mmCIF file of all heavy atoms in Angstrom:
data_model
loop_
_atom_site.group_PDB
_atom_site.id
_atom_site.type_symbol
_atom_site.label_atom_id
_atom_site.label_comp_id
_atom_site.label_asym_id
_atom_site.label_seq_id
_atom_site.Cartn_x
_atom_site.Cartn_y
_atom_site.Cartn_z
ATOM 1 N N LEU L 13 34.392 -27.907 8.611
ATOM 2 C CA LEU L 13 35.168 -26.814 7.982
ATOM 3 C C LEU L 13 36.594 -26.801 8.500
ATOM 4 O O LEU L 13 37.556 -26.531 7.742
ATOM 5 C CB LEU L 13 34.494 -25.483 8.238
ATOM 6 C CG LEU L 13 33.163 -25.261 7.519
ATOM 7 C CD1 LEU L 13 32.564 -23.910 7.887
ATOM 8 C CD2 LEU L 13 33.307 -25.414 6.012
ATOM 9 N N GLU L 14 36.779 -27.052 9.788
ATOM 10 C CA GLU L 14 38.140 -27.061 10.326
ATOM 11 C C GLU L 14 38.973 -28.166 9.676
ATOM 12 O O GLU L 14 40.134 -27.953 9.314
ATOM 13 C CB GLU L 14 38.094 -27.280 11.848
ATOM 14 C CG GLU L 14 39.471 -27.211 12.504
ATOM 15 C CD GLU L 14 39.393 -27.365 13.999
ATOM 16 O OE1 GLU L 14 38.677 -28.272 14.465
ATOM 17 O OE2 GLU L 14 40.042 -26.550 14.737
ATOM 18 N N ARG L 15 38.353 -29.337 9.498
ATOM 19 C CA ARG L 15 39.065 -30.462 8.899
ATOM 20 C C ARG L 15 39.433 -30.193 7.452
ATOM 21 O O ARG L 15 40.579 -30.376 7.032
ATOM 22 C CB ARG L 15 38.174 -31.718 9.003
ATOM 23 C CG ARG L 15 38.701 -32.926 8.251
ATOM 24 C CD ARG L 15 38.065 -34.230 8.803
ATOM 25 N NE ARG L 15 36.638 -34.132 8.860
ATOM 26 C CZ ARG L 15 35.819 -34.688 7.935
ATOM 27 N NH1 ARG L 15 36.329 -35.288 6.890
ATOM 28 N NH2 ARG L 15 34.521 -34.578 8.054
ATOM 29 N N PHE L 16 38.471 -29.702 6.684
ATOM 30 C CA PHE L 16 38.737 -29.513 5.248
ATOM 31 C C PHE L 16 39.563 -28.257 4.974
ATOM 32 O O PHE L 16 40.255 -28.198 3.934
ATOM 33 C CB PHE L 16 37.437 -29.532 4.462
ATOM 34 C CG PHE L 16 36.867 -30.893 4.286
ATOM 35 C CD1 PHE L 16 35.778 -31.315 4.993
ATOM 36 C CD2 PHE L 16 37.441 -31.775 3.373
ATOM 37 C CE1 PHE L 16 35.260 -32.593 4.850
ATOM 38 C CE2 PHE L 16 36.932 -33.073 3.241
ATOM 39 C CZ PHE L 16 35.842 -33.477 3.956
ATOM 40 N N SER L 17 39.452 -27.220 5.789
ATOM 41 C CA SER L 17 40.247 -26.038 5.559
ATOM 42 C C SER L 17 41.725 -26.360 5.709
ATOM 43 O O SER L 17 42.565 -25.796 5.016
ATOM 44 C CB SER L 17 39.865 -24.891 6.492
ATOM 45 O OG SER L 17 40.093 -25.242 7.831
ATOM 46 N N ASN L 18 42.055 -27.295 6.605
ATOM 47 C CA ASN L 18 43.450 -27.674 6.788
ATOM 48 C C ASN L 18 44.025 -28.395 5.580
ATOM 49 O O ASN L 18 45.203 -28.313 5.300
ATOM 50 C CB ASN L 18 43.595 -28.590 8.030
ATOM 51 C CG ASN L 18 43.399 -27.825 9.328
ATOM 52 O OD1 ASN L 18 43.688 -26.619 9.376
ATOM 53 N ND2 ASN L 18 42.936 -28.493 10.358
ATOM 54 N N SER L 19 43.159 -29.110 4.816
ATOM 55 C CA SER L 19 43.665 -29.864 3.682
ATOM 56 C C SER L 19 43.465 -29.141 2.351
ATOM 57 O O SER L 19 44.275 -29.264 1.429
ATOM 58 C CB SER L 19 42.981 -31.237 3.629
ATOM 59 O OG SER L 19 41.554 -31.085 3.581
ATOM 60 N N LEU L 20 42.364 -28.352 2.220
ATOM 61 C CA LEU L 20 42.051 -27.699 0.944
ATOM 62 C C LEU L 20 42.663 -26.321 0.795
ATOM 63 O O LEU L 20 43.130 -25.956 -0.277
ATOM 64 C CB LEU L 20 40.534 -27.615 0.795
ATOM 65 C CG LEU L 20 39.768 -28.810 0.256
ATOM 66 C CD1 LEU L 20 38.268 -28.524 0.245
ATOM 67 C CD2 LEU L 20 40.230 -29.195 -1.127
ATOM 68 N N ASN L 21 42.614 -25.540 1.855
ATOM 69 C CA ASN L 21 42.967 -24.112 1.735
ATOM 70 C C ASN L 21 44.478 -23.909 1.707
ATOM 71 O O ASN L 21 45.117 -23.477 2.681
ATOM 72 C CB ASN L 21 42.380 -23.323 2.902
ATOM 73 C CG ASN L 21 40.863 -23.330 2.859
ATOM 74 O OD1 ASN L 21 40.249 -23.923 1.987
ATOM 75 N ND2 ASN L 21 40.232 -22.714 3.836
ATOM 76 N N LYS L 22 45.075 -24.218 0.561
ATOM 77 C CA LYS L 22 46.506 -24.049 0.384
ATOM 78 C C LYS L 22 46.807 -22.822 -0.482
ATOM 79 O O LYS L 22 45.946 -22.440 -1.327
ATOM 80 C CB LYS L 22 47.117 -25.284 -0.304
ATOM 81 C CG LYS L 22 46.815 -26.602 0.400
ATOM 82 C CD LYS L 22 47.412 -26.672 1.791
ATOM 83 C CE LYS L 22 47.177 -28.040 2.412
ATOM 84 N NZ LYS L 22 47.666 -28.153 3.823
ATOM 85 N N LYS L 23 47.929 -22.213 -0.309
ATOM 86 C CA LYS L 23 48.349 -21.070 -1.071
ATOM 87 C C LYS L 23 48.365 -21.421 -2.550
ATOM 88 O O LYS L 23 48.859 -22.505 -2.929
ATOM 89 C CB LYS L 23 49.727 -20.554 -0.630
ATOM 90 C CG LYS L 23 50.136 -19.224 -1.249
ATOM 91 C CD LYS L 23 51.446 -18.728 -0.669
ATOM 92 C CE LYS L 23 51.798 -17.377 -1.289
ATOM 93 N NZ LYS L 23 53.089 -16.829 -0.753
ATOM 94 N N ASN L 24 47.857 -20.551 -3.392
ATOM 95 C CA ASN L 24 47.813 -20.737 -4.850
ATOM 96 C C ASN L 24 46.829 -21.824 -5.270
ATOM 97 O O ASN L 24 46.819 -22.204 -6.454
ATOM 98 C CB ASN L 24 49.202 -21.036 -5.428
ATOM 99 C CG ASN L 24 50.203 -19.909 -5.184
ATOM 100 O OD1 ASN L 24 49.841 -18.765 -5.246
ATOM 101 N ND2 ASN L 24 51.450 -20.281 -4.923
ATOM 102 N N ASN L 25 46.070 -22.342 -4.338
ATOM 103 C CA ASN L 25 45.015 -23.313 -4.707
ATOM 104 C C ASN L 25 43.742 -22.565 -5.102
ATOM 105 O O ASN L 25 43.489 -21.475 -4.591
ATOM 106 C CB ASN L 25 44.717 -24.236 -3.491
ATOM 107 C CG ASN L 25 43.863 -25.414 -3.876
ATOM 108 O OD1 ASN L 25 43.622 -25.675 -5.051
ATOM 109 N ND2 ASN L 25 43.377 -26.142 -2.900
ATOM 110 N N GLU L 26 42.961 -23.129 -5.990
ATOM 111 C CA GLU L 26 41.721 -22.484 -6.428
ATOM 112 C C GLU L 26 40.500 -22.940 -5.633
ATOM 113 O O GLU L 26 39.451 -22.328 -5.690
ATOM 114 C CB GLU L 26 41.497 -22.787 -7.925
ATOM 115 C CG GLU L 26 40.325 -22.035 -8.565
ATOM 116 C CD GLU L 26 40.096 -22.379 -10.021
ATOM 117 O OE1 GLU L 26 40.847 -23.204 -10.567
ATOM 118 O OE2 GLU L 26 39.169 -21.787 -10.609
ATOM 119 N N TYR L 27 40.675 -24.013 -4.869
ATOM 120 C CA TYR L 27 39.542 -24.648 -4.207
ATOM 121 C C TYR L 27 39.603 -24.443 -2.707
ATOM 122 O O TYR L 27 40.603 -24.783 -2.082
ATOM 123 C CB TYR L 27 39.539 -26.141 -4.576
ATOM 124 C CG TYR L 27 39.709 -26.387 -6.060
ATOM 125 C CD1 TYR L 27 40.784 -27.068 -6.538
ATOM 126 C CD2 TYR L 27 38.775 -25.867 -6.984
ATOM 127 C CE1 TYR L 27 40.985 -27.249 -7.884
ATOM 128 C CE2 TYR L 27 38.947 -26.074 -8.321
ATOM 129 C CZ TYR L 27 40.041 -26.755 -8.800
ATOM 130 O OH TYR L 27 40.220 -26.911 -10.152
ATOM 131 N N PHE L 28 38.485 -23.937 -2.142
ATOM 132 C CA PHE L 28 38.488 -23.551 -0.740
ATOM 133 C C PHE L 28 37.211 -23.968 -0.031
ATOM 134 O O PHE L 28 36.180 -24.275 -0.671
ATOM 135 C CB PHE L 28 38.629 -22.035 -0.604
ATOM 136 C CG PHE L 28 39.926 -21.467 -1.046
ATOM 137 C CD1 PHE L 28 40.198 -21.166 -2.358
ATOM 138 C CD2 PHE L 28 40.937 -21.213 -0.103
ATOM 139 C CE1 PHE L 28 41.421 -20.641 -2.756
ATOM 140 C CE2 PHE L 28 42.151 -20.714 -0.468
ATOM 141 C CZ PHE L 28 42.414 -20.432 -1.793
ATOM 142 N N VAL L 29 37.263 -23.957 1.309
ATOM 143 C CA VAL L 29 36.107 -23.891 2.169
ATOM 144 C C VAL L 29 36.357 -22.728 3.129
ATOM 145 O O VAL L 29 37.513 -22.315 3.319
ATOM 146 C CB VAL L 29 35.912 -25.210 2.971
ATOM 147 C CG1 VAL L 29 35.688 -26.395 2.046
ATOM 148 C CG2 VAL L 29 37.072 -25.465 3.898
ATOM 149 N N PRO L 30 35.315 -22.133 3.732
ATOM 150 C CA PRO L 30 35.566 -21.014 4.624
ATOM 151 C C PRO L 30 36.439 -21.439 5.847
ATOM 152 O O PRO L 30 36.245 -22.487 6.430
ATOM 153 C CB PRO L 30 34.141 -20.640 5.109
ATOM 154 C CG PRO L 30 33.242 -21.141 4.013
ATOM 155 C CD PRO L 30 33.898 -22.396 3.530
ATOM 156 N N THR L 31 37.366 -20.571 6.185
ATOM 157 C CA THR L 31 38.180 -20.764 7.383
ATOM 158 C C THR L 31 37.336 -20.483 8.622
ATOM 159 O O THR L 31 36.593 -19.518 8.663
ATOM 160 C CB THR L 31 39.395 -19.851 7.376
ATOM 161 O OG1 THR L 31 40.198 -20.138 6.180
ATOM 162 C CG2 THR L 31 40.260 -20.052 8.607
ATOM 163 N N VAL L 32 37.439 -21.309 9.645
ATOM 164 C CA VAL L 32 36.647 -21.074 10.870
ATOM 165 C C VAL L 32 37.485 -20.390 11.947
ATOM 166 O O VAL L 32 38.696 -20.563 12.006
ATOM 167 C CB VAL L 32 36.085 -22.417 11.429
ATOM 168 C CG1 VAL L 32 34.942 -22.921 10.583
ATOM 169 C CG2 VAL L 32 37.182 -23.474 11.543
ATOM 170 N N PHE L 33 36.810 -19.554 12.751
ATOM 171 C CA PHE L 33 37.464 -18.797 13.785
ATOM 172 C C PHE L 33 36.975 -19.107 15.176
ATOM 173 O O PHE L 33 37.572 -18.679 16.151
ATOM 174 C CB PHE L 33 37.252 -17.305 13.529
ATOM 175 C CG PHE L 33 37.973 -16.782 12.324
ATOM 176 C CD1 PHE L 33 37.495 -16.920 11.051
ATOM 177 C CD2 PHE L 33 39.193 -16.121 12.474
ATOM 178 C CE1 PHE L 33 38.159 -16.461 9.939
ATOM 179 C CE2 PHE L 33 39.902 -15.647 11.351
ATOM 180 C CZ PHE L 33 39.392 -15.840 10.105
ATOM 181 N N GLY L 34 35.884 -19.867 15.289
ATOM 182 C CA GLY L 34 35.360 -20.184 16.607
ATOM 183 C C GLY L 34 34.063 -20.919 16.525
ATOM 184 O O GLY L 34 33.385 -20.964 15.497
ATOM 185 N N ASN L 35 33.637 -21.464 17.674
ATOM 186 C CA ASN L 35 32.441 -22.274 17.719
ATOM 187 C C ASN L 35 31.774 -22.142 19.094
ATOM 188 O O ASN L 35 32.456 -22.232 20.127
ATOM 189 C CB ASN L 35 32.829 -23.743 17.450
ATOM 190 C CG ASN L 35 31.661 -24.699 17.552
ATOM 191 O OD1 ASN L 35 30.545 -24.319 17.204
ATOM 192 N ND2 ASN L 35 31.929 -25.902 17.999
ATOM 193 N N PHE L 36 30.479 -21.891 19.106
ATOM 194 C CA PHE L 36 29.692 -21.828 20.320
ATOM 195 C C PHE L 36 28.542 -22.862 20.145
ATOM 196 O O PHE L 36 27.417 -22.467 19.834
ATOM 197 C CB PHE L 36 29.156 -20.445 20.546
ATOM 198 C CG PHE L 36 30.172 -19.390 20.807
ATOM 199 C CD1 PHE L 36 30.842 -18.754 19.750
ATOM 200 C CD2 PHE L 36 30.519 -19.003 22.089
ATOM 201 C CE1 PHE L 36 31.841 -17.823 19.974
ATOM 202 C CE2 PHE L 36 31.501 -18.047 22.343
ATOM 203 C CZ PHE L 36 32.151 -17.480 21.270
ATOM 204 N N PRO L 37 28.824 -24.136 20.408
ATOM 205 C CA PRO L 37 27.813 -25.164 20.126
ATOM 206 C C PRO L 37 26.559 -25.033 20.948
ATOM 207 O O PRO L 37 25.441 -25.326 20.450
ATOM 208 C CB PRO L 37 28.550 -26.455 20.457
ATOM 209 C CG PRO L 37 29.701 -26.078 21.299
ATOM 210 C CD PRO L 37 30.077 -24.694 20.908
ATOM 211 N N ASN L 38 26.607 -24.597 22.191
ATOM 212 C CA ASN L 38 25.419 -24.472 23.018
ATOM 213 C C ASN L 38 24.462 -23.401 22.478
ATOM 214 O O ASN L 38 23.270 -23.501 22.621
ATOM 215 C CB ASN L 38 25.786 -24.144 24.444
ATOM 216 C CG ASN L 38 26.502 -25.282 25.145
ATOM 217 O OD1 ASN L 38 26.328 -26.461 24.786
ATOM 218 N ND2 ASN L 38 27.296 -24.983 26.162
ATOM 219 N N GLU L 39 25.026 -22.364 21.868
ATOM 220 C CA GLU L 39 24.228 -21.290 21.334
ATOM 221 C C GLU L 39 23.972 -21.515 19.809
ATOM 222 O O GLU L 39 23.223 -20.748 19.172
ATOM 223 C CB GLU L 39 24.924 -19.950 21.473
ATOM 224 C CG GLU L 39 25.016 -19.461 22.915
ATOM 225 C CD GLU L 39 26.145 -20.139 23.673
ATOM 226 O OE1 GLU L 39 26.990 -20.822 23.041
ATOM 227 O OE2 GLU L 39 26.183 -19.996 24.925
ATOM 228 N N GLY L 40 24.560 -22.529 19.229
ATOM 229 C CA GLY L 40 24.362 -22.833 17.797
ATOM 230 C C GLY L 40 25.065 -21.832 16.863
ATOM 231 O O GLY L 40 24.522 -21.548 15.784
ATOM 232 N N LEU L 41 26.262 -21.359 17.286
ATOM 233 C CA LEU L 41 26.951 -20.360 16.526
ATOM 234 C C LEU L 41 28.256 -20.898 15.973
ATOM 235 O O LEU L 41 28.983 -21.654 16.669
ATOM 236 C CB LEU L 41 27.271 -19.112 17.365
ATOM 237 C CG LEU L 41 26.157 -18.300 17.958
ATOM 238 C CD1 LEU L 41 26.714 -17.058 18.638
ATOM 239 C CD2 LEU L 41 25.169 -17.892 16.897
ATOM 240 N N VAL L 42 28.612 -20.503 14.737
ATOM 241 C CA VAL L 42 29.917 -20.758 14.157
ATOM 242 C C VAL L 42 30.456 -19.433 13.646
ATOM 243 O O VAL L 42 29.748 -18.673 12.978
ATOM 244 C CB VAL L 42 29.841 -21.767 12.980
ATOM 245 C CG1 VAL L 42 31.236 -22.029 12.425
ATOM 246 C CG2 VAL L 42 29.229 -23.094 13.423
ATOM 247 N N LEU L 43 31.739 -19.173 13.916
ATOM 248 C CA LEU L 43 32.412 -17.988 13.375
ATOM 249 C C LEU L 43 33.273 -18.472 12.222
ATOM 250 O O LEU L 43 34.145 -19.362 12.383
ATOM 251 C CB LEU L 43 33.282 -17.324 14.453
ATOM 252 C CG LEU L 43 32.634 -17.058 15.818
ATOM 253 C CD1 LEU L 43 33.635 -16.376 16.741
ATOM 254 C CD2 LEU L 43 31.401 -16.202 15.631
ATOM 255 N N MET L 44 33.092 -17.859 11.049
ATOM 256 C CA MET L 44 33.839 -18.310 9.879
ATOM 257 C C MET L 44 34.142 -17.148 8.944
ATOM 258 O O MET L 44 33.528 -16.049 9.093
ATOM 259 C CB MET L 44 33.022 -19.410 9.118
ATOM 260 C CG MET L 44 31.714 -18.897 8.541
ATOM 261 S SD MET L 44 30.839 -20.202 7.610
ATOM 262 C CE MET L 44 30.284 -21.236 8.977
ATOM 263 N N GLU L 45 35.003 -17.398 8.009
ATOM 264 C CA GLU L 45 35.353 -16.415 7.028
ATOM 265 C C GLU L 45 34.132 -15.983 6.202
ATOM 266 O O GLU L 45 33.309 -16.795 5.872
ATOM 267 C CB GLU L 45 36.406 -17.026 6.085
ATOM 268 C CG GLU L 45 36.775 -16.192 4.878
ATOM 269 C CD GLU L 45 37.628 -16.985 3.898
ATOM 270 O OE1 GLU L 45 37.828 -18.219 4.118
ATOM 271 O OE2 GLU L 45 38.054 -16.377 2.879
ATOM 272 N N TRP L 46 33.977 -14.669 5.998
ATOM 273 C CA TRP L 46 32.943 -14.142 5.144
ATOM 274 C C TRP L 46 33.423 -14.174 3.689
ATOM 275 O O TRP L 46 34.519 -13.632 3.388
ATOM 276 C CB TRP L 46 32.577 -12.700 5.535
ATOM 277 C CG TRP L 46 31.498 -12.097 4.686
ATOM 278 C CD1 TRP L 46 31.627 -11.528 3.480
ATOM 279 C CD2 TRP L 46 30.121 -12.031 5.039
ATOM 280 N NE1 TRP L 46 30.403 -11.071 3.006
ATOM 281 C CE2 TRP L 46 29.457 -11.391 3.956
ATOM 282 C CE3 TRP L 46 29.358 -12.417 6.134
ATOM 283 C CZ2 TRP L 46 28.082 -11.148 3.962
ATOM 284 C CZ3 TRP L 46 28.010 -12.210 6.154
ATOM 285 C CH2 TRP L 46 27.384 -11.544 5.070
ATOM 286 N N VAL L 47 32.689 -14.819 2.800
ATOM 287 C CA VAL L 47 33.081 -14.963 1.403
ATOM 288 C C VAL L 47 32.152 -14.116 0.546
ATOM 289 O O VAL L 47 30.908 -14.294 0.563
ATOM 290 C CB VAL L 47 33.043 -16.444 0.959
ATOM 291 C CG1 VAL L 47 33.498 -16.580 -0.483
ATOM 292 C CG2 VAL L 47 33.858 -17.309 1.858
ATOM 293 N N GLU L 48 32.721 -13.188 -0.190
ATOM 294 C CA GLU L 48 31.952 -12.245 -1.000
ATOM 295 C C GLU L 48 31.501 -12.828 -2.337
ATOM 296 O O GLU L 48 30.653 -12.275 -2.998
ATOM 297 C CB GLU L 48 32.744 -10.963 -1.248
ATOM 298 C CG GLU L 48 32.855 -10.055 -0.045
ATOM 299 C CD GLU L 48 31.532 -9.357 0.317
ATOM 300 O OE1 GLU L 48 30.567 -9.459 -0.472
ATOM 301 O OE2 GLU L 48 31.463 -8.727 1.372
ATOM 302 N N SER L 49 32.089 -13.925 -2.765
ATOM 303 C CA SER L 49 31.812 -14.438 -4.113
ATOM 304 C C SER L 49 30.321 -14.793 -4.293
ATOM 305 O O SER L 49 29.691 -15.298 -3.361
ATOM 306 C CB SER L 49 32.640 -15.708 -4.331
ATOM 307 O OG SER L 49 34.011 -15.461 -4.128
ATOM 308 N N PRO L 50 29.758 -14.556 -5.477
ATOM 309 C CA PRO L 50 28.381 -14.909 -5.756
ATOM 310 C C PRO L 50 28.215 -16.446 -5.869
ATOM 311 O O PRO L 50 29.163 -17.151 -6.207
ATOM 312 C CB PRO L 50 28.059 -14.243 -7.070
ATOM 313 C CG PRO L 50 29.397 -14.141 -7.770
ATOM 314 C CD PRO L 50 30.378 -13.922 -6.659
ATOM 315 N N SER L 51 27.010 -16.912 -5.617
ATOM 316 C CA SER L 51 26.756 -18.360 -5.730
ATOM 317 C C SER L 51 26.633 -18.738 -7.188
ATOM 318 O O SER L 51 26.363 -17.943 -8.071
ATOM 319 C CB SER L 51 25.454 -18.723 -5.000
ATOM 320 O OG SER L 51 24.346 -18.117 -5.641
ATOM 321 N N LEU L 52 26.863 -20.046 -7.458
ATOM 322 C CA LEU L 52 26.640 -20.568 -8.789
ATOM 323 C C LEU L 52 25.196 -20.333 -9.237
ATOM 324 O O LEU L 52 24.916 -20.027 -10.420
ATOM 325 C CB LEU L 52 26.945 -22.058 -8.845
ATOM 326 C CG LEU L 52 26.679 -22.773 -10.200
ATOM 327 C CD1 LEU L 52 27.699 -22.323 -11.217
ATOM 328 C CD2 LEU L 52 26.708 -24.257 -10.011
ATOM 329 N N GLU L 53 24.255 -20.424 -8.318
ATOM 330 C CA GLU L 53 22.853 -20.186 -8.594
ATOM 331 C C GLU L 53 22.670 -18.818 -9.273
ATOM 332 O O GLU L 53 21.982 -18.714 -10.320
ATOM 333 C CB GLU L 53 22.059 -20.213 -7.279
ATOM 334 C CG GLU L 53 20.581 -19.942 -7.436
ATOM 335 C CD GLU L 53 19.876 -19.955 -6.110
ATOM 336 O OE1 GLU L 53 20.477 -19.539 -5.095
ATOM 337 O OE2 GLU L 53 18.721 -20.362 -6.049
#
């Protein structure tokens, strides 16, 4: 997410991945943007 947010998440772009805010690998946690949009499903 860190890699793709740097390339995809541009102003006025329609295509995104959640922005990440932190990582706790030993605990298995990722902090990321909460997205309210409904799924395609």
Side-chain angles (χ1 to χ4, degrees):
L13 291 179
E14 185 178 46
R15 172 159 52 99
F16 283 105
S17 63
N18 288 332
S19 56
L20 277 177
N21 296 359
K22 306 297 184 184
K23 189 175 181 180
N24 299 323
N25 191 11
E26 187 182 1
Y27 312 117
F28 291 85
V29 299
T31 300
V32 286
F33 290 81
N35 178 33
F36 295 82
N38 292 335
E39 292 79 13
L41 299 185
V42 180
L43 311 181
M44 65 178 71
E45 173 189 6
W46 181 278
V47 183
E48 286 289 352
S49 306
S51 66
L52 177 69
E53 178 182 35

